[in-house]
Amino acid sequence: PVVEVTRPGRGDIRLTSSLIGQVEPEEVVYVYPKASGDVTEVPIKAGERVEAGQLLCVIDTRQIESAKSNLDSAQLTLRQAKEELGRQSVLYAAGGISEQAYRQYQNNVEAAQITYENAKTNYDNQVSYSQITAPISGMVEVCNVEPFDTVAQNNLLCVISGQGARIVSFDASERIRNFLSEGDPITVEKNGETFDGTISEVSTMADSDTGLFQVKARLREDTDETKLPTGSSVKLYVTSEHADDVLLVPVNSVYYDGGLSYVYTYDRESGTLHKVQVEAGLY
């Protein structure tokens, strides 16, 4: 018979498993209104980039006018109290009023100042409730609001993903998880293109429903996010098992007999074969 002779060598062997993961941004913010009202303006839409502090929408909370009226009234009261204190200061310096009466005018100014500050805080809050701005810079992934909509505090207005790296989240069995560590490389495949990443988080607790462990990998900063949209599914490859500095032989050089594994060695001088039992590992 014709045979092929191979010289074994030492090296590392890796067993790769294919899994399905989901793309998500490293930083994501869900924007909700702080007050109910009617939407009057929405200057943004899904797919647009926004800067931190940029206006997302305007909500008529029906309380701004009331808060502004209270602020104007408090401001007027404070001004009048200060003017009265100024007039009474002249009389007090001339001995025209008692110290107790003068302190009462001072207390009136302090009380008016507190009322004004409370009214201003309330007005500023109402303005912030009315004008919803972007908390971070990034891309608007979802925009669930349009002009003339009526929104409440539990209505999601929009979702903004930050400008950081993309994250791939996937589930792994306990066997695979035992071979995964933070910093291990992974390969992600989407629409025929491959992207490199690094494992950033390996959960130590299995999901109670699936029994699987959640793993997250961080893709390179220069990854084109348009090719990996948020929420899309990708195929990824991880090293599920590995052995380092072991004897490597071709798979078809190993034979089995009675549950034991063997290889045949060739003695060049005598021209004979020897059946040698071995311990088979990864293949």
Side-chain angles (χ1 to χ4, degrees), residues 65-134:
E65 293 183 2
S66 176
K68 183 64 168 61
S69 177
N70 291 336
L71 176 61
D72 292 341
S73 176
Q75 189 174 22
L76 176 61
T77 301
L78 177 60
R79 185 173 67 250
Q80 291 174 343
K82 288 182 176 179
E83 291 175 352
E84 183 63 26
L85 177 62
R87 289 192 293 268
Q88 297 301 325
S89 297
V90 176
L91 295 177
Y92 175 69
I97 61 173
S98 66
E99 181 177 354
Q100 182 178 2
Y102 180 68
R103 286 188 179 275
Q104 182 62 45
Y105 288 110
Q106 289 179 320
N107 293 337
N108 291 341
V109 171
E110 293 178 0
Q113 182 69 40
I114 294 174
T115 301
Y116 169 76
E117 291 176 356
N118 290 337
K120 187 176 186 308
T121 300
N122 182 52
Y123 174 73
D124 291 341
N125 288 338
Q126 294 302 325
V127 171
S128 66
Y129 296 163
S130 173
Q131 298 183 358
I132 309 301
T133 58

Side-chain angles (χ1 to χ4, degrees), residues 225-245:
E225 62 184 41
T226 61
K227 296 181 179 179
L228 294 174
T230 299
S232 61
S233 296
V234 296
K235 181 183 290 186
L236 56 95
Y237 302 91
V238 298
T239 300
S240 55
E241 291 186 60
H242 65 86
D244 300 328
D245 193 26

